[in-house]
Amino acid sequence: LFSIGELSRITGLSVKALRLYHDKGLLVPARIDPSSSYRYYDAEAAEEGRLIRKLRGMEFSLEDIKEILGARDHEDELVDYLEAHKDSICAKLSHYHAIVRSLETVIAYEKEARMIADNATFEVEEKQVENILVAALRYQGSYADCGKAFARIGRRFGRYTCGKPMNLYYDAEYKENDADIESCIPVRKGTDADGIVVRELPGGRCVSLIHKGTYDELGRSYEKIVAYVNEHGLQVQTPSREIYLKGPGMLLRGNPKNYLTELQLLVEE
Amino acid sequence: LFSIGELSRITGLSVKALRLYHDKGLLVPARIDPSSSYRYYDAEAAEEGRLIRKLRGMEFSLEDIKEILGARDHEDELVDYLEAHKDSICAKLSHYHAIVRSLETVIAYEKEARMIADNATFEVEEKQVENILVAALRYQGSYADCGKAFARIGRRFGRYTCGKPMNLYYDAEYKENDADIESCIPVRKGTDADGIVVRELPGGRCVSLIHKGTYDELGRSYEKIVAYVNEHGLQVQTPSREIYLKGPGMLLRGNPKNYLTELQLLVEE
DNA sequence: TTGCTCCTCACGTCACGTGAGGTGGC
DNA sequence: TTGCTCCTCACGTCACGTGAGGTGGC
């Protein structure tokens, strides 16, 4: 016969657990010393204990285990238990998969933003931009409306997106309200749907400046980029672009001081 | 301002949860009516609530969430939290994967046994058996020793096994002790190791009987098969084979009355 | 008065872990 | 006496859910 401590070492179950299993009638000692109340277990209990440990390792509840031990002899029932349990574990698996995927998305977004911030000069630069395919929604409104627009595009084209969201501004000057805005998200493919147009934005020579900070302060960066354009006698095309490299994420809002926005003015070659 | 019920509907969090979050300082009402103690929340709280719900959906603990909300502005910290959490979820994923795999193994074993039982006639039959590659351990001992032998082979060749374990008996008559036994498990491939020999068992014409029940009762089935052999004037080869189609599984012992054991006597063509 | 929303305790869940305080034999 | 193993409460964990019993305004 084994004392509780010995059984614990044999089975790998804690003494506390063994006492609990006794209380619950899962694993009952062969003998209990009447004077000391010491529990003594037999070899069969050791086997049972090992089995219980395996089942606990598979996250069966104590209640389930009791049923399984009780239904020892009826194998169809056992298989049903196992299958039901397998299904519930599979459900957890896909749940955790989904969590990992969204965590990875968020982490990748943050790391990319860090990369961009580390490599940016925050000075006006000239560069070539490629043609890009986007899903686009054009409307009259204020900057504040673009959140809803991006959400709407995201819902339709979420699985095809392949770049940062951007706004195109068609007005020559800044307008608080009733601005002519086109909100775009780059996509790999897609067809027009729900008022959203899939089209190719033409690339070309462009003047670019990455702005770091809140959107309120964008004006200063616009000043800088316009000054550059004038200084170099460049001919600016409409629309201008604002690319939201890092903004309030889908999950975390982040610190607005770290928001990154690229201003792009396409110019005549 | 929203009442707690309204906020609950907006955020999808239960009223009980919202009260708890208030107690824990996670989501504090904008105003508390002094006379009625009613909680009133503002629009910002609604945003917070939605965020908390997302984070809870990702199985962050309330404590984690408090830290995350507190570290809102320090993005490196946030990313660290997310990555740590991702790692812990990935650990769970692989744990659950392992559980599903072992459940599937057990379920498949039970279902196969059911299939065999359903298709078996439990009468003596003649058939051809193929050559099979096995990992084999030969020893002098009693039937009771074969459990250890199979365990030892399983440890070495577990990943290559592709069939039911079997014993070969080299003695002409039954011996309780000091029997000459070879315990084998079919394998896809493998090389000799640890005293275990990988070799090909020759096939051929054989007389077979599937025995249902405990091992104690095997004698009766042996009687039956020997009677058949004699009746048909067949020449039996040594060793005889016992194939354990269904026995005490690795997890569940099952009902010994449902154990299935195939007796095979190879005979001269 | 009835129905609705809100309130505050207090207790339950699940499988133990963590003491506290005590016993019994070497 | 000290150290070890065992015992029995009682309480904590985590994020709520489930009442019970009561309030306040329509």
Side-chain angles (χ1 to χ4, degrees):
Chain A
L1 290 181
F2 310 118
S3 72
I4 198 168
E6 285 163 347
L7 189 68
S8 166
R9 261 164 267 141
I10 292 170
T11 59
L13 293 161
S14 75
V15 170
K16 293 281 179 180
L18 288 172
R19 286 204 266 256
L20 182 73
Y21 299 164
H22 177 196
D23 281 4
K24 299 227 169 190
L26 272 176
L27 188 56
V28 179
R31 198 174 75 80
I32 296 175
D33 185 282
S35 79
S36 68
S37 302
Y38 276 31
R39 295 165 176 88
Y40 292 101
Y41 295 89
D42 56 20
E44 201 194 328
E47 271 313 300
E48 286 276 287
R50 271 192 270 258
L51 173 56
I52 293 177
R53 192 165 125 91
K54 279 183 198 157
L55 293 172
R56 284 295 300 139
M58 293 188 179
E59 309 220 335
F60 282 95
S61 69
L62 295 191
E63 204 178 345
D64 287 342
I65 292 175
K66 204 165 180 181
E67 305 246 33
I68 290 173
L69 295 182
R72 261 242 167 56
D73 277 359
H74 205 346
E75 290 163 24
D76 298 351
E77 243 179 276
L78 288 178
V79 173
D80 290 349
Y81 273 115
L82 297 182
E83 291 206 299
H85 192 65
K86 192 197 122 190
D87 289 348
S88 85
I89 299 276
C90 281
K92 285 193 186 188
L93 263 183
S94 64
H95 177 224
Y96 284 121
H97 258 305
I99 293 175
V100 169
R101 274 197 305 273
S102 29
L103 284 172
E104 278 174 345
T105 308
V106 176
I107 291 168
Y109 182 84
E110 294 292 331
K111 292 207 163 168
E112 200 191 337
R114 215 182 281 174
M115 277 275 294
I116 293 170
D118 288 350
N119 294 327
T121 60
F122 301 106
E123 297 298 334
V124 179
E125 287 176 11
E126 286 190 45
K127 64 181 188 183
Q128 280 293 126
V129 293
E130 305 294 316
N131 296 354
I132 27 175
L133 191 71
V134 297
L137 190 60
R138 190 161 174 178
Y139 52 92
Q140 306 283 120
S142 76
Y143 164 76
D145 298 320
C146 75
K148 269 166 284 171
F150 288 131
R152 192 167 143 199
I153 300 171
R155 258 189 312 259
R156 278 276 171 178
F157 294 89
R159 40 218 152 276
Y160 301 133
T161 57
C162 62
K164 304 291 184 183
M166 65 179 84
N167 276 347
L168 310 187
Y169 293 101
Y170 286 90
D171 300 299
E173 80 256 35
Y174 176 72
K175 288 170 90 173
E176 184 74 47
N177 299 309
D178 279 324
D180 185 358
I181 305 177
E182 190 172 15
S183 294
C184 310
I185 300 181
V187 292
R188 285 194 303 278
K189 62 172 194 168
T191 49
D192 298 4
D194 191 25
I196 301 162
V197 174
V198 177
R199 70 186 190 89
E200 194 160 63
L201 294 188
R205 186 180 168 199
C206 104
V207 178
S208 148
L209 173 60
I210 292 178
H211 168 85
K212 179 171 185 172
T214 64
Y215 299 129
D216 302 352
E217 301 162 343
L218 270 176
R220 279 195 299 214
S221 289
Y222 268 112
E223 264 178 50
K224 244 171 113 174
I225 200 171
V226 169
Y228 180 97
V229 163
N230 290 341
E231 207 171 294
H232 293 72
L234 298 167
Q235 196 63 28
V236 176
Q237 290 177 20
T238 280
S240 62
R241 301 181 183 177
E242 272 178 17
I243 304 172
Y244 305 104
L245 301 176
K246 175 168 163 60
M250 51 259 95
L251 185 67
L252 280 357
R253 273 211 304 275
N255 188 341
K257 287 185 182 170
N258 294 327
Y259 288 178
L260 297 171
T261 311
E262 181 177 358
L263 309 181
Q264 282 187 355
L265 301 178
L266 288 176
V267 295
E268 308 290 345
E269 303 280 345
Chain B
L1 291 180
F2 310 119
S3 72
I4 198 168
E6 285 163 346
L7 190 68
S8 166
R9 261 163 267 142
I10 292 170
T11 59
L13 294 161
S14 75
V15 169
K16 293 283 180 180
L18 289 172
R19 285 205 266 256
L20 182 72
Y21 299 164
H22 177 196
D23 281 4
K24 298 227 168 190
L26 273 177
L27 188 56
V28 179
R31 199 175 74 81
I32 296 174
D33 186 282
S35 79
S36 68
S37 302
Y38 275 32
R39 294 166 177 86
Y40 293 101
Y41 295 89
D42 55 21
E44 202 195 328
E47 270 313 300
E48 288 274 288
R50 271 192 271 257
L51 172 56
I52 292 175
R53 191 165 126 92
K54 279 183 198 158
L55 294 172
R56 284 294 300 137
M58 293 189 178
E59 308 219 335
F60 281 96
S61 69
L62 295 190
E63 204 179 346
D64 287 342
I65 292 176
K66 204 166 181 180
E67 305 245 35
I68 290 174
L69 295 182
R72 263 244 165 53
D73 278 359
H74 206 346
E75 292 163 23
D76 298 352
E77 245 179 274
L78 289 178
V79 174
D80 290 348
Y81 273 116
L82 297 183
E83 291 205 300
H85 192 65
K86 192 196 121 188
D87 290 347
S88 84
I89 299 276
C90 282
K92 286 193 184 186
L93 264 183
S94 63
H95 176 223
Y96 283 123
H97 259 303
I99 294 176
V100 169
R101 273 197 305 270
S102 28
L103 285 172
E104 278 173 347
T105 307
V106 177
I107 291 168
Y109 182 84
E110 294 293 331
K111 292 206 162 168
E112 201 192 335
R114 216 183 283 174
M115 276 275 294
I116 293 170
D118 288 349
N119 295 326
T121 60
F122 301 106
E123 297 300 334
V124 179
E125 288 176 11
E126 286 190 46
K127 63 181 187 182
Q128 279 295 125
V129 294
E130 304 295 315
N131 296 356
I132 26 176
L133 190 72
V134 297
L137 191 59
R138 190 160 173 177
Y139 52 94
Q140 306 283 120
S142 77
Y143 165 75
D145 297 321
C146 75
K148 269 166 281 171
F150 289 132
R152 191 166 144 202
I153 300 171
R155 258 190 310 263
R156 279 275 172 181
F157 294 90
R159 38 216 154 280
Y160 302 132
T161 58
C162 62
K164 304 290 182 184
M166 64 178 85
N167 276 347
L168 311 187
Y169 293 101
Y170 286 88
D171 299 301
E173 78 257 32
Y174 175 72
K175 289 171 90 174
E176 184 76 46
N177 300 307
D178 279 325
D180 184 357
I181 304 177
E182 189 171 18
S183 294
C184 311
I185 301 180
V187 293
R188 285 193 304 277
K189 60 171 192 168
T191 48
D192 298 4
D194 191 23
I196 302 163
V197 174
V198 177
R199 68 185 191 90
E200 194 160 64
L201 293 188
R205 185 181 169 198
C206 102
V207 177
S208 148
L209 173 59
I210 292 179
H211 168 85
K212 180 172 186 172
T214 64
Y215 300 129
D216 302 352
E217 301 162 342
L218 269 175
R220 277 195 299 211
S221 290
Y222 268 111
E223 265 178 49
K224 243 170 116 175
I225 201 169
V226 169
Y228 180 96
V229 164
N230 291 339
E231 206 170 298
H232 292 70
L234 299 168
Q235 195 64 27
V236 175
Q237 290 176 22
T238 281
S240 62
R241 300 182 184 178
E242 272 178 18
I243 304 173
Y244 304 104
L245 301 175
K246 174 165 165 62
M250 51 258 97
L251 186 65
L252 279 356
R253 274 209 305 273
N255 188 341
K257 288 187 182 169
N258 294 325
Y259 288 177
L260 297 171
T261 311
E262 183 178 356
L263 310 181
Q264 283 186 355
L265 301 178
L266 288 177
V267 294
E268 309 289 343
E269 304 279 344

